[in-house]
Amino acid sequence: MRDFMAIARSVAVAEKGMAATSHPQATLAAVEILKAGGNAVDAAIAAVAVQGVVEPQMTGIGGDCFALYSPKGGEPIALNGSGRTPARTDSGKYAHGAQRDIPPTSPESVTVPGAIDAWCRLVADHGSKSLEEIFRPAIAAAEQGFCITPRVAEDWRRFRARIEIDANARAHFLPGDQTPAVGDIRVQLALGKTFRNIARHGRDAFYAGEAADEMVGILRGLGGAHEADDFAAQTSDYVTPISARYHDHDVVECPPNGQGLAALMILRTLAGFDVGALTPADRIHLLAEATKAAYRARDAFFCDPATGNIDPASFLTEDYIGRIRQRIDMTRASGAATWDDIEHRDTVYVTVVDRDLNAISLINSLFYPFGSGIYAPKSGILLHNRGWSFRAKPGHLNSLGPRKRPMHTIIPGMLRKDGRTVMSFGVMGGHYQAAGHANLLSNIFDMKMDIQAAAEAPRSFAFDGVLSLESTIAPAIRDDLLARGHDARFSEEPIGGCQAIRIDHARGVLFGASDHRKDGLALGF
């Protein structure tokens, strides 16, 4: 039981259905779909569609999607809804430049958005409602207006530079050259029209016709290689989930091109230590060292499995993980793991469990806040920049190439025990997500926290030579970490965000969590 004198939120409790998202309006849309008889898939797509309207800096139909779905608590299936580069991509376009990454606002950073194909695929295969009903809350928000919440207002202000570059984006998102204030009402009429077209005609209303023609025309006008055939060819793929044991549970993740494998590597490393007996400084140090090791492998080897050979099981063997554990010195920080990559922050995560215990873990992203900044005004589509994570020079497993998916940071997660799904969870925050999955589960199993407390607990993240600490971590702990050789610094912003739903099969009860770092909440009925 939590301390009710402390500033914290109680875990949400319900029995007939639960949703947890990073925005109240999205959570409410999901719960209303559940109450109207929809299932978890219907509710999750309704929620993420709303988020594409009310959190335009974070996500949208111009982005990508990954999902894990567990029907009635059974074996999860994974859907890779990430997009591919155009068929006529010039692999060597940036080969002779000084940059390591594709320019973040270039047309090459825009892979064909995969979200709509993934949403339509999930609804067709596992949903129970029509797209017209599922998209109704998003259409209402787009056409009738929505209130700007505090975190959305802050992100809009903080990252406005991305939408100042494109004239169309600037006109739409910065009218009067002003970012919105908390409580302002905004509309997205063109986006609402596109949602209506998709609801009536399905995925082809996005990947063919007026919307696709507009996106292709804008991208080609900027020098991109995109063609109508690239959009028409986009398809999501069901893939086999990967998993590893932590304590007496199985942690389930999507395989590469996502970074879920890194989360499993970190957890396998932690499993060799008595984490619950460590001091707070020891725990932060151990997580940092395990993260560095896993991310070194991630940045060297994780890529599109269709174009690069990667065996996830080889990174989880006792021999491989044992060597990582042996190299960890609990008194001294190892050398910095420097990523040939950039920080990625803009993601939303949704989890829903319905009355039949169907559970979905879904994550959708534009990559960087406001994505590429390239905006198609007639269709209201802001395009992501997931291709930014490609390496600019040929030869790397994750280098730019035709019809290729880049390495992704977004990862949905699930937890299983004795053959049943017992938790659906996700941690937003770009690079942090894999470390965040491991930290959340360590809080639950090693520190015996409930899921809300585990989500709220102070966070740290070893990234690019710096060990970032949230300001809720004591200065004495930072001093301890500095003495071990970490470049430990207090972070200027919260690290990530989290939602989770835990299933108590014995009692038929659902427990939901949504942390304070975003505007959202968990809500059930």
Side-chain angles (χ1 to χ4, degrees):
M1 188 64 68
R2 75 174 180 88
D3 179 0
F4 289 98
M5 296 287 283
I7 299 173
R9 182 183 294 178
S10 293
V11 66
V13 185
E15 58 176 329
K16 295 183 179 179
M18 177 81 70
T21 84
S22 58
H23 195 286
Q25 198 164 339
T27 299
L28 183 60
V31 170
E32 288 177 341
I33 288 284
L34 292 176
K35 294 181 76 172
N39 67 18
V41 169
D42 303 322
I45 301 305
V48 76
V50 167
Q51 287 177 293
V53 176
V54 303
E55 294 186 85
Q57 84 288 8
M58 300 292 284
T59 194
I61 62 176
D64 277 353
C65 173
F66 286 81
L68 289 168
Y69 177 59
S70 171
K72 297 184 178 180
E75 198 68 35
I77 61 173
L79 184 69
N80 182 334
S82 61
R84 299 169 177 85
T85 53
R88 295 183 181 274
T89 295
D90 179 0
S91 304
K93 182 171 183 177
Y94 298 99
H96 304 295
Q99 67 268 39
R100 295 178 295 189
D101 307 299
I102 305 305
T105 58
S106 68
E108 286 74 30
S109 75
V110 184
T111 54
V112 176
I116 286 296
D117 185 82
W119 299 359
C120 292
R121 185 81 174 270
L122 285 167
V123 170
D125 293 348
H126 305 288
S128 66
K129 296 283 188 181
S130 67
L131 286 175
E132 286 92 341
E133 187 169 353
I134 289 169
F135 285 164
R136 195 171 295 152
I139 292 169
E143 295 180 346
Q144 299 170 25
F146 59 95
C147 282
I148 300 294
T149 53
R151 181 61 192 266
V152 172
E154 172 60 16
D155 288 344
W156 212 309
R157 180 199 64 78
R158 187 181 181 95
F159 299 109
R160 63 171 289 165
R162 178 54 51 89
I163 45 177
E164 290 176 334
I165 299 171
D166 181 271
N168 293 322
R170 186 182 187 114
H172 176 68
F173 292 106
L174 298 172
D177 200 37
Q178 298 296 313
T179 58
V182 176
D184 282 357
I185 308 295
R186 297 297 299 265
V187 296
Q188 297 216 58
L189 297 178
L191 181 58
K193 179 182 176 181
T194 299
F195 267 119
R196 285 188 180 276
N197 289 336
I198 297 169
R200 293 189 187 109
H201 305 295
R203 68 172 299 282
D204 288 347
F206 183 91
Y207 295 100
E210 293 180 0
D213 289 346
E214 184 186 21
M215 288 184 281
V216 169
I218 289 172
L219 291 166
R220 289 188 67 83
L222 295 170
H226 304 72
E227 297 181 349
D229 287 348
D230 298 312
F231 278 75
Q234 173 59 27
T235 182
S236 304
D237 299 310
Y238 286 111
V239 293
T240 303
I242 57 176
S243 65
R245 296 283 285 180
Y246 195 65
H247 289 255
D248 56 350
H249 287 65
D250 294 307
V251 184
V252 181
E253 302 275 354
C254 293
N257 55 317
Q259 65 168 337
L261 178 56
L264 300 182
M265 293 173 67
I266 297 169
L267 286 165
R268 290 276 291 115
T269 302
L270 298 183
F273 297 81
D274 184 2
V275 178
L278 299 177
T279 67
D282 283 340
R283 288 188 68 225
I284 293 172
H285 172 80
L286 176 60
L287 179 62
E289 297 304 294
T291 298
K292 292 178 196 176
Y295 282 34
R296 287 188 187 101
R298 184 200 71 168
D299 294 332
F301 301 110
F302 293 12
C303 62
D304 184 346
T307 58
N309 185 21
I310 178 172
D311 175 18
S314 67
F315 292 90
L316 300 172
T317 64
E318 187 61 32
D319 179 62
Y320 188 98
I321 297 298
R323 292 199 300 272
I324 292 176
R325 293 175 187 148
Q326 289 172 4
R327 295 189 185 111
I328 293 176
D329 181 345
M330 290 300 294
T331 67
R332 174 92 13 213
S334 64
T338 301
W339 288 266
D340 294 333
D341 213 344
I342 61 296
E343 188 173 1
H344 317 132
R345 318 171 187 216
D346 60 328
T347 301
V348 296
Y349 174 78
V350 173
T351 179
V352 181
V353 178
D354 63 29
R355 57 177 54 82
D356 296 318
L357 302 186
N358 299 302
I360 186 167
S361 181
L362 183 146
I363 198 158
N364 211 91
S365 176
L366 288 178
F367 211 19
Y368 192 83
F370 293 109
S372 65
I374 300 170
Y375 179 68
K378 294 179 182 178
S379 52
I381 299 169
L382 183 64
L383 292 164
H384 69 165
N385 60 342
R386 186 58 62 175
W388 187 10
S389 70
F390 279 124
R391 298 286 71 78
K393 295 183 179 179
H396 193 284
L397 289 174
N398 189 40
S399 62
L400 182 67
R403 287 282 167 91
K404 190 174 182 181
R405 286 167 158 158
M407 192 278 288
H408 264 258
T409 56
I410 59 175
I411 51 174
M414 278 190 172
L415 194 64
R416 288 173 59 78
K417 184 179 181 182
D418 299 331
R420 294 190 295 189
T421 296
V422 296
M423 191 167 82
S424 177
F425 69 95
V427 180
M428 299 166 281
H431 280 300
Y432 176 70
Q433 290 180 50
H437 279 208
N439 186 53
L440 176 73
L441 296 178
S442 179
N443 285 339
I444 292 169
F445 292 115
D446 298 311
M447 307 311 294
K448 313 303 181 187
M449 297 179 183
D450 69 36
I451 59 172
Q452 182 64 40
E456 291 173 345
R459 292 179 182 157
S460 63
F461 183 37
F463 175 84
D464 203 16
V466 175
L467 179 54
S468 296
L469 309 173
E470 289 190 329
S471 59
T472 46
I473 293 172
I477 294 175
R478 180 202 57 185
D479 294 343
D480 183 317
L481 295 164
L482 287 169
R484 302 185 200 209
H486 293 285
D487 184 3
R489 308 178 192 176
F490 286 116
S491 176
E492 295 181 358
E493 59 183 350
I495 299 174
C498 176
Q499 280 84 43
I501 300 174
R502 193 158 190 176
I503 305 169
D504 184 333
H505 288 275
R507 294 187 290 168
V509 177
L510 305 174
F511 299 92
S514 182
D515 76 25
H516 58 283
R517 297 170 180 87
K518 304 287 185 178
D519 294 321
L521 75 160
L523 185 65
F525 70 102

